[in-house]
Amino acid sequence: MSDLNKEPIEVEGATVPFFTYTEGEDQVFEFDTSKCGPPEPMVNAMAGLKKIDGPNKKLVMINHKKPMGLLDKIGENYDIATENMDDGRVKLIFTYQSGESEKADLSQTSCGG
């Protein structure tokens, strides 16, 4: 990924840096919460998902593990691909799902029940 031209971007409510870049036809937003504890991964994912407001936009989350609380909340609203990285971290790629992404409640940023 070092050949991609990543630009820092301001994301409202985020507590870690976000970057954006173009991958083919897609605008990608990326952040890394692999060194953060709860609730930061959830907070940043919810902030980033607000950018995925249509086709050709993706959110890439790098985390230390698969964020099950997050996936339980919004898993039905986005297409989500998961990749295990060589260093043990997990990369999740969220893409827009027409008719479903609009229904996601992105205001809930805690993973408690």
Side-chain angles (χ1 to χ4, degrees):
M1 269 204 216
S2 55
D3 58 335
L4 297 172
N5 188 14
K6 294 184 181 182
E7 296 286 327
I9 183 173
E10 191 71 32
V11 174
E12 187 178 338
T15 63
V16 297
F18 270 73
F19 300 90
T20 187
Y21 54 90
T22 303
E23 196 175 71
E25 305 258 324
D26 298 328
Q27 181 178 12
V28 181
F29 301 94
E30 181 176 302
F31 69 101
D32 183 341
T33 49
S34 61
K35 293 179 172 62
C36 300
E40 281 190 84
M42 175 83 73
V43 167
N44 287 284
M46 294 299 195
L49 285 168
K50 291 176 184 167
K51 296 282 188 192
I52 312 305
D53 56 6
N56 297 78
K57 292 187 178 182
K58 294 180 181 178
L59 179 67
V60 173
M61 174 185 196
I62 309 290
N63 205 33
H64 62 287
K65 65 177 187 173
K66 199 170 179 180
M68 297 311 296
L70 171 66
L71 298 179
D72 288 346
K73 277 192 189 302
I74 55 91
E76 295 178 0
N77 304 112
Y78 296 89
D79 290 322
I80 306 166
T82 306
E83 297 174 18
N84 292 317
M85 300 173 71
D86 292 339
D87 60 8
R89 296 181 301 166
V90 177
K91 177 193 286 187
L92 293 102
I93 303 159
F94 299 87
T95 51
Y96 181 80
Q97 201 179 95
S98 183
E100 290 300 322
S101 295
E102 299 85 355
K103 298 176 189 173
D105 181 359
L106 301 178
S107 65
Q108 294 192 14
T109 57
S110 66
C111 44

